[in-house]
C-alpha cells in the first residue's frame, strides 16, 4: 500500500471515529457512516477493522456503553440512561451492559456511589466556543500512551516548522488531552486518549496519524489540578464526588484537560498545572 493511500485511509477512518464518538446515541447506519468516510460500504468494514483493530459494530457498541457509564455518576434513572444511550428497552441495555462490564447497571450504579468520599473540588463554571485542534489518538494505559502520542504530535509540529516554516508551537498555542475512558472500568488495551494542539494556520495539512478535530463548545465546570500528572486520578475522584453530591447533569461530551505549562519536561512535577473541563448542562 502506498504511503499516501494509507494516510488517506487513516484520515477517513478517524473522521468516522470522531463522528461515532460525537453521535453515539443516534441510530448510526452503515450507509451513513460510509458516506461520512467516503468509502464504499462494501469495503468499509475491512478498512475500519484494519486501522482501529475492532469491528465497526463492536466499536459503536463499546463507545455507547462507555459513554453511558459516565451518566451513572449523576442521579439519572437507569431507564433514562438506557434510552439516552440508544437502547430501545431496559432489558437490552442491561444485557449489553453486563456483557461489557460484568455487572448489571444497578450493581454498577451502587459500586460507583460506594466510591464516593467526603473530599470534593469546587469548580468554576465557564462557557467556551468550539476549539479547532490537531490531534493524535492513542490506545492503552494513559501512562504509556500519553508520552508516545505527545512525541508523535511534537515531531509533526516541528517538522512543519523546519520544512515549511509553519509555527504550530508559538506562544499562543494551547495543548489539550482528551481522556475518553475511565481506567477503573475499561480494559487497558481499549482506553482511548487524544493529545491535541490548537490549529490556527489552516495551510498546515494533517497527515497520517495527525488528524483534525474539534473540542465542542458549551458550558463546562472547570477545575484546577496542581501537581504531577500521575495524581490526576485523585482529582477525578473528587470531581466524581462533586457530580454525585450536587446531582450534576452531564452533557454527552468527553472531559478534557488543558496543560498550562509551556514545557512540562522543564517544570517540577509539583508545579505542573492542569485545567480539567467537565461538560455540564
Amino acid at each position: 500500500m502506498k504511503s499516501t493511500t494509507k494516510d488517506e485511509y487513516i484520515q477517513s477512518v478517524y473522521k468516522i471515529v470522531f463522528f461515532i464518538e460525537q453521535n453515539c446515541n443516534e441510530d448510526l447506519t452503515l450507509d451513513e457512516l460510509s458516506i461520512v468516510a467516503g468509502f464504499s460500504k462494501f469495503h468499509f468494514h475491512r478498512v475500519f477493522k484494519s486501522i482501529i483493530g475492532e469491528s465497526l459494530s463492536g466499536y459503536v457498541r463499546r463507545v455507547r456503553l462507555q459513554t453511558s457509564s459516565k451518566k451513572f455518576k449523576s442521579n439519572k434513572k437507569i431507564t433514562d440512561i438506557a434510552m439516552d444511550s440508544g437502547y430501545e428497552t431496559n432489558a437490552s441495555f442491561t444485557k449489553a451492559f453486563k456483557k461489557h462490564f460484568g455487572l448489571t447497571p444497578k450493581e454498577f450504579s451502587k459500586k460507583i456511589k460506594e466510591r464516593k468520599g467526603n473530599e470534593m473540588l469546587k469548580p468554576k463554571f465557564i462557557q467556551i466556543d468550539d476549539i479547532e485542534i490537531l490531534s493524535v489518538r492513542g490506545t492503552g494505559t494513559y501512562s504509556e500512551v500519553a508520552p508516545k502520542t505527545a512525541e508523535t504530535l511534537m515531531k509533526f509540529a516541528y517538522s512543519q516548522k523546519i520544512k515549511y516554516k509553519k509555527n504550530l508551537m508559538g506562544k499562543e498555542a494551547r495543548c489539550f488531552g482528551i481522556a475518553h475512558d475511565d481506567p477503573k472500568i475499561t480494559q487497558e488495551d481499549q482506553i482511548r486518549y487524544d493529545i491535541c494542539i490548537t490549529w490556527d494556520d489552516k495551510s498546515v495539512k494533517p497527515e497520517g496519524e495527525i488528524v483534525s478535530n474539534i473540542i465542542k463548545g458549551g458550558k463546562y465546570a472547570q477545575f484546577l489540578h496542581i501537581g504531577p500528572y500521575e495524581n490526576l486520578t485523585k482529582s477525578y475522584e473528587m470531581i466524581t464526588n462533586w457530580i454525585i453530591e450536587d446531582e450534576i447533569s452531564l452533557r454527552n461530551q468527553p472531559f478534557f484537560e488543558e496543560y498550562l505549562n509551556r514545557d512540562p519536561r522543564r517544570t517540577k512535577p509539583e508545579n505542573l498545572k492542569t485545567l480539567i473541563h467537565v461538560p455540564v448542562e
Side-chain angles (χ1 to χ4, degrees):
M1 183 185 295
K2 294 181 180 179
S3 60
T4 53
T5 303
K6 183 177 180 180
D7 283 353
E8 290 171 359
Y9 279 153
I10 292 172
Q11 293 286 319
S12 295
V13 165
Y14 272 103
K15 282 183 184 178
I16 292 303
V17 166
F18 297 144
F19 185 83
I20 290 170
E21 291 171 353
Q22 293 165 7
N23 300 277
C24 62
N25 296 339
E26 305 298 326
D27 182 18
L28 301 174
T29 66
L30 177 58
D31 286 341
E32 179 182 15
L33 294 177
S34 61
I35 290 171
V36 172
F39 287 156
S40 162
K41 65 181 180 181
F42 300 106
H43 303 294
F44 183 45
H45 278 294
R46 187 180 297 114
V47 173
F48 187 92
K49 187 169 184 179
S50 174
I51 292 173
I52 300 301
E54 60 185 303
S55 69
L56 176 63
S57 60
Y59 189 77
V60 171
R61 182 168 57 252
R62 180 164 70 86
V63 169
R64 279 178 174 166
L65 290 170
Q66 291 292 153
T67 301
S68 75
S69 71
K70 297 177 184 177
K71 298 175 183 178
F72 285 88
K73 295 177 182 179
S74 64
N75 286 334
K76 267 196 168 186
K77 294 180 180 178
I78 292 175
T79 300
D80 293 335
I81 294 175
M83 297 301 175
D84 289 348
S85 302
Y87 288 85
E88 294 183 358
T89 66
N90 199 25
S92 61
F93 176 65
T94 297
K95 182 179 179 180
F97 195 94
K98 185 172 184 180
K99 183 178 180 180
H100 186 75
F101 291 108
L103 298 169
T104 66
K106 285 185 179 180
E107 292 168 339
F108 183 85
S109 179
K110 182 179 179 181
K111 188 176 181 180
I112 285 288
K113 290 177 171 59
E114 282 175 350
R115 280 170 27 192
K116 178 176 68 65
N118 295 320
E119 194 173 6
M120 291 190 292
L121 293 176
K122 291 298 181 183
K124 172 184 177 182
F125 290 96
I126 62 170
Q127 192 81 22
I128 69 171
D129 297 326
D130 288 354
I131 304 172
E132 294 184 86
I133 52 173
L134 291 175
S135 68
V136 178
R137 167 66 55 89
T139 305
T141 60
Y142 290 131
S143 59
E144 294 180 358
V145 167
K148 291 179 181 179
T149 52
E151 182 180 4
T152 299
L153 188 56
M154 292 305 105
K155 281 184 176 178
F156 175 78
Y158 288 117
S159 71
Q160 290 292 313
K161 185 175 183 179
I162 293 170
K163 290 181 181 180
Y164 308 112
K165 311 301 181 185
K166 306 290 186 182
N167 187 10
L168 289 175
M169 298 304 298
K171 291 183 179 180
E172 301 302 317
R174 301 168 68 187
C175 185
F176 303 96
I178 304 176
H180 294 273
D181 302 299
D182 184 342
K184 291 186 176 181
I185 60 176
T186 305
Q187 295 181 24
E188 287 186 353
D189 63 346
Q190 294 184 331
I191 295 173
R192 296 163 294 154
Y193 174 78
D194 299 334
I195 186 75
C196 323
I197 55 174
T198 47
W199 184 33
D200 295 328
D201 188 347
K202 296 303 183 294
S203 65
V204 174
K205 301 300 181 185
E207 300 173 359
E209 296 177 79
I210 314 299
V211 296
S212 61
N213 198 8
I214 292 176
I215 294 176
K216 291 290 187 180
K219 184 179 179 181
Y220 286 84
Q222 186 186 77
F223 299 84
L224 176 63
H225 168 89
I226 301 177
Y229 297 140
E230 292 80 5
N231 293 347
L232 278 164
T233 300
K234 179 65 175 176
S235 289
Y236 276 105
E237 288 176 353
M238 289 190 283
I239 290 170
T240 295
N241 295 341
W242 168 76
I243 292 170
I244 294 171
E245 288 290 344
D246 287 24
E247 300 184 6
I248 300 299
S249 295
L250 303 177
R251 291 187 292 113
N252 185 31
Q253 296 293 334
F255 295 12
F256 73 89
E257 302 159 0
E258 180 172 5
Y259 309 117
L260 301 182
N261 301 90
R262 182 71 183 164
D263 189 347
R265 297 169 300 178
R266 298 183 181 180
T267 305
K268 291 181 179 180
E270 61 269 24
N271 294 330
L272 291 170
K273 294 182 179 181
T274 307
L275 289 175
I276 301 172
H277 296 80
V278 179
V280 296
E281 292 183 352

Short mmCIF file of all heavy atoms in Angstrom, two decimals, residues 125-151:
data_model
loop_
_atom_site.label_atom_id
_atom_site.label_comp_id
_atom_site.label_asym_id
_atom_site.label_seq_id
_atom_site.Cartn_x
_atom_site.Cartn_y
_atom_site.Cartn_z
N PHE A 125 -17.47 27.78 36.68
CA PHE A 125 -18.30 27.49 35.51
C PHE A 125 -17.95 28.47 34.39
O PHE A 125 -17.91 29.69 34.60
CB PHE A 125 -19.78 27.57 35.85
CG PHE A 125 -20.25 26.46 36.75
CD1 PHE A 125 -20.32 26.64 38.12
CD2 PHE A 125 -20.58 25.21 36.23
CE1 PHE A 125 -20.72 25.62 38.96
CE2 PHE A 125 -20.99 24.18 37.05
CZ PHE A 125 -21.05 24.37 38.42
N ILE A 126 -17.70 27.91 33.20
CA ILE A 126 -17.33 28.75 32.06
C ILE A 126 -18.11 28.31 30.83
O ILE A 126 -18.63 27.20 30.75
CB ILE A 126 -15.81 28.67 31.76
CG1 ILE A 126 -15.41 27.23 31.38
CG2 ILE A 126 -14.99 29.17 32.94
CD1 ILE A 126 -14.00 27.11 30.86
N GLN A 127 -18.19 29.20 29.86
CA GLN A 127 -18.79 28.93 28.56
C GLN A 127 -17.69 29.08 27.52
O GLN A 127 -17.01 30.12 27.47
CB GLN A 127 -19.93 29.92 28.28
CG GLN A 127 -20.81 29.56 27.11
CD GLN A 127 -21.87 28.51 27.45
OE1 GLN A 127 -22.22 28.36 28.61
NE2 GLN A 127 -22.37 27.81 26.44
N ILE A 128 -17.49 28.06 26.67
CA ILE A 128 -16.43 28.15 25.68
C ILE A 128 -16.99 27.93 24.28
O ILE A 128 -18.04 27.31 24.10
CB ILE A 128 -15.28 27.15 25.95
CG1 ILE A 128 -15.76 25.71 25.71
CG2 ILE A 128 -14.72 27.32 27.34
CD1 ILE A 128 -14.64 24.69 25.75
N ASP A 129 -16.28 28.44 23.28
CA ASP A 129 -16.61 28.19 21.88
C ASP A 129 -15.91 26.91 21.43
O ASP A 129 -15.01 26.40 22.10
CB ASP A 129 -16.14 29.37 21.01
CG ASP A 129 -16.86 30.66 21.36
OD1 ASP A 129 -18.05 30.60 21.72
OD2 ASP A 129 -16.21 31.73 21.27
N ASP A 130 -16.30 26.40 20.27
CA ASP A 130 -15.60 25.27 19.68
C ASP A 130 -14.11 25.59 19.55
O ASP A 130 -13.73 26.72 19.23
CB ASP A 130 -16.15 24.94 18.29
CG ASP A 130 -17.53 24.30 18.33
OD1 ASP A 130 -18.03 24.02 19.45
OD2 ASP A 130 -18.11 24.08 17.25
N ILE A 131 -13.27 24.59 19.79
CA ILE A 131 -11.82 24.76 19.66
C ILE A 131 -11.33 23.81 18.57
O ILE A 131 -11.47 22.59 18.69
CB ILE A 131 -11.09 24.45 20.97
CG1 ILE A 131 -11.63 25.32 22.11
CG2 ILE A 131 -9.59 24.66 20.82
CD1 ILE A 131 -11.08 24.94 23.49
N GLU A 132 -10.79 24.38 17.49
CA GLU A 132 -10.26 23.55 16.41
C GLU A 132 -8.87 23.04 16.80
O GLU A 132 -8.03 23.81 17.26
CB GLU A 132 -10.17 24.36 15.12
CG GLU A 132 -11.53 24.77 14.58
CD GLU A 132 -11.41 25.49 13.25
OE1 GLU A 132 -11.37 24.81 12.21
OE2 GLU A 132 -11.34 26.73 13.27
N ILE A 133 -8.65 21.75 16.61
CA ILE A 133 -7.40 21.13 17.07
C ILE A 133 -6.84 20.16 16.04
O ILE A 133 -7.56 19.66 15.17
CB ILE A 133 -7.63 20.36 18.39
CG1 ILE A 133 -8.80 19.38 18.24
CG2 ILE A 133 -7.82 21.29 19.57
CD1 ILE A 133 -9.02 18.45 19.42
N LEU A 134 -5.55 19.90 16.15
CA LEU A 134 -4.91 18.76 15.53
C LEU A 134 -4.65 17.75 16.65
O LEU A 134 -4.21 18.14 17.74
CB LEU A 134 -3.59 19.15 14.88
CG LEU A 134 -3.68 20.05 13.64
CD1 LEU A 134 -2.27 20.45 13.19
CD2 LEU A 134 -4.42 19.36 12.50
N SER A 135 -4.92 16.48 16.40
CA SER A 135 -4.80 15.52 17.48
C SER A 135 -4.21 14.20 17.00
O SER A 135 -4.19 13.90 15.80
CB SER A 135 -6.17 15.27 18.13
OG SER A 135 -7.04 14.60 17.22
N VAL A 136 -3.72 13.42 17.97
CA VAL A 136 -3.24 12.06 17.73
C VAL A 136 -3.96 11.15 18.72
O VAL A 136 -4.00 11.45 19.92
CB VAL A 136 -1.72 11.94 17.93
CG1 VAL A 136 -1.26 10.49 17.72
CG2 VAL A 136 -0.97 12.87 16.99
N ARG A 137 -4.52 10.06 18.22
CA ARG A 137 -5.23 9.09 19.07
C ARG A 137 -4.26 7.98 19.50
O ARG A 137 -3.55 7.40 18.69
CB ARG A 137 -6.41 8.50 18.31
CG ARG A 137 -7.07 7.26 18.92
CD ARG A 137 -7.75 7.56 20.26
NE ARG A 137 -8.72 8.62 20.21
CZ ARG A 137 -10.03 8.44 19.91
NH1 ARG A 137 -10.49 7.24 19.63
NH2 ARG A 137 -10.85 9.48 19.91
N GLY A 138 -4.27 7.69 20.79
CA GLY A 138 -3.52 6.56 21.32
C GLY A 138 -4.48 5.64 22.06
O GLY A 138 -5.49 6.09 22.59
N THR A 139 -4.16 4.36 22.11
CA THR A 139 -5.00 3.39 22.82
C THR A 139 -4.11 2.56 23.73
O THR A 139 -3.12 1.97 23.29
CB THR A 139 -5.73 2.46 21.83
OG1 THR A 139 -6.47 3.25 20.89
CG2 THR A 139 -6.70 1.55 22.56
N GLY A 140 -4.47 2.51 25.01
CA GLY A 140 -3.69 1.79 26.01
C GLY A 140 -3.68 2.58 27.31
O GLY A 140 -4.44 3.53 27.48
N THR A 141 -2.84 2.18 28.27
CA THR A 141 -2.79 2.89 29.55
C THR A 141 -2.32 4.32 29.34
O THR A 141 -1.44 4.59 28.52
CB THR A 141 -1.83 2.18 30.53
OG1 THR A 141 -0.52 2.16 29.97
CG2 THR A 141 -2.28 0.76 30.80
N TYR A 142 -2.90 5.25 30.10
CA TYR A 142 -2.55 6.66 29.94
C TYR A 142 -1.05 6.90 30.14
O TYR A 142 -0.43 7.70 29.42
CB TYR A 142 -3.35 7.51 30.92
CG TYR A 142 -4.82 7.60 30.60
CD1 TYR A 142 -5.79 7.38 31.58
CD2 TYR A 142 -5.26 7.92 29.32
CE1 TYR A 142 -7.15 7.46 31.29
CE2 TYR A 142 -6.60 8.00 29.02
CZ TYR A 142 -7.55 7.77 30.01
OH TYR A 142 -8.88 7.86 29.71
N SER A 143 -0.46 6.23 31.12
CA SER A 143 0.95 6.48 31.42
C SER A 143 1.87 6.10 30.26
O SER A 143 2.93 6.70 30.09
CB SER A 143 1.36 5.69 32.68
OG SER A 143 1.16 4.30 32.49
N GLU A 144 1.45 5.10 29.46
CA GLU A 144 2.25 4.69 28.32
C GLU A 144 1.88 5.45 27.04
O GLU A 144 2.75 5.81 26.25
CB GLU A 144 2.08 3.18 28.08
CG GLU A 144 2.65 2.31 29.20
CD GLU A 144 2.44 0.84 28.92
OE1 GLU A 144 1.84 0.50 27.88
OE2 GLU A 144 2.88 0.02 29.75
N VAL A 145 0.60 5.69 26.87
CA VAL A 145 0.11 6.29 25.62
C VAL A 145 0.41 7.78 25.54
O VAL A 145 0.80 8.28 24.49
CB VAL A 145 -1.40 6.03 25.47
CG1 VAL A 145 -1.99 6.91 24.38
CG2 VAL A 145 -1.66 4.57 25.15
N ALA A 146 0.23 8.51 26.65
CA ALA A 146 0.39 9.97 26.62
C ALA A 146 1.77 10.40 26.11
O ALA A 146 1.86 11.26 25.22
CB ALA A 146 0.12 10.55 28.00
N PRO A 147 2.88 9.82 26.61
CA PRO A 147 4.20 10.25 26.09
C PRO A 147 4.38 9.92 24.60
O PRO A 147 4.97 10.71 23.86
CB PRO A 147 5.19 9.47 26.95
CG PRO A 147 4.44 9.09 28.18
CD PRO A 147 3.02 8.87 27.74
N LYS A 148 3.87 8.76 24.17
CA LYS A 148 4.04 8.35 22.77
C LYS A 148 3.26 9.26 21.82
O LYS A 148 3.78 9.68 20.78
CB LYS A 148 3.59 6.91 22.59
CG LYS A 148 4.49 5.88 23.26
CD LYS A 148 3.95 4.48 23.05
CE LYS A 148 4.84 3.44 23.74
NZ LYS A 148 4.30 2.07 23.57
N THR A 149 2.00 9.56 22.18
CA THR A 149 1.20 10.42 21.32
C THR A 149 1.77 11.84 21.29
O THR A 149 1.77 12.51 20.26
CB THR A 149 -0.27 10.44 21.76
OG1 THR A 149 -0.34 10.75 23.17
CG2 THR A 149 -0.94 9.10 21.52
N ALA A 150 2.24 12.31 22.45
CA ALA A 150 2.83 13.65 22.52
C ALA A 150 4.07 13.73 21.63
O ALA A 150 4.28 14.72 20.91
CB ALA A 150 3.20 14.00 23.96
N GLU A 151 4.89 12.68 21.64
CA GLU A 151 6.09 12.65 20.81
C GLU A 151 5.72 12.69 19.32
O GLU A 151 6.33 13.42 18.53
CB GLU A 151 6.90 11.39 21.10
CG GLU A 151 8.20 11.30 20.30
CD GLU A 151 8.99 10.04 20.59
OE1 GLU A 151 8.49 9.19 21.36
OE2 GLU A 151 10.10 9.91 20.05
#
